[in-house]
Amino acid sequence: MDRLDHLEHLDKALVDELAQVTRETVRDELRRHTRGQRRRAMLYAASGAVALYAGAALALTLGLALAAGLPDWAAALITAAILGVAAYLLRGAARGEQAHGGGTPLGPSGGFADPTGHPPVPPVPPVPPVAPGGAGAATGATGAPGTGTPGPGAPDVPAPRPDDIDPELPHHRA
């Protein structure tokens, strides 16, 4: 029995040592990875700052070129208007991509037009006319909202059961 107790101690020591080596390895790898990401982020920030100054120099050049034939105030006003229109167009492009992959807003409904010509996507998914399991059907509901049965003239479509759902089919979100 003494030999087995000694082996248990050895196993525990090996497991502890392996856990410590694994922690140190993962920590070192994360440090190296973080260092690379930090350097990349600093380069992106520097690139953005240089691009900002380049844009300012381009705007100044445009203003000076316009000032050659126009009064200074008119050249500055035209340059500001051009920059304002460019900012507005860029903001619109960013909003369209963020909201629905490049679509354009369609007014008060909140839906977005698809550039391929498909009908607009509603902002809220439709509510099924019958509650799952046909709740309310046994009580003689009249088709009023919340009763669980469709009103007169509504198609008699049973609610989907969990068995009917195919996980391989694509799921679309509104």
Side-chain angles (χ1 to χ4, degrees), residues 6-90:
H6 180 66
L7 289 178
E8 274 184 27
H9 178 69
L10 258 177
D11 286 345
K12 184 168 175 29
L14 285 174
V15 168
D16 289 343
E17 186 177 343
L18 181 62
Q20 182 181 356
V21 168
T22 304
R23 275 193 299 268
E24 289 173 0
T25 304
V26 168
R27 188 177 301 132
D28 290 342
E29 187 65 29
L30 285 174
R31 270 194 201 121
R32 187 171 16 144
H33 187 68
T34 304
R35 202 173 304 130
Q37 284 184 334
R38 189 178 305 139
R39 181 174 185 273
R40 192 175 308 125
M42 287 177 24
L43 289 173
Y44 273 121
S47 169
V50 170
L52 181 67
Y53 282 112
L58 183 63
L60 178 65
T61 304
L62 176 66
L64 290 174
L66 288 173
L70 296 171
D72 291 344
W73 65 268
L77 184 64
I78 291 171
T79 303
I82 290 172
L83 290 173
V85 168
Y88 180 78
L89 292 174
L90 288 171

Side-chain angles (χ1 to χ4, degrees), residues 97-155:
E97 286 180 15
Q98 175 187 9
H100 189 68
T104 56
L106 263 194
S109 69
F112 288 88
D114 191 351
T116 60
H118 291 100
V121 178
V124 178
V127 178
V130 178
T139 61
T142 62
T147 61
T149 59

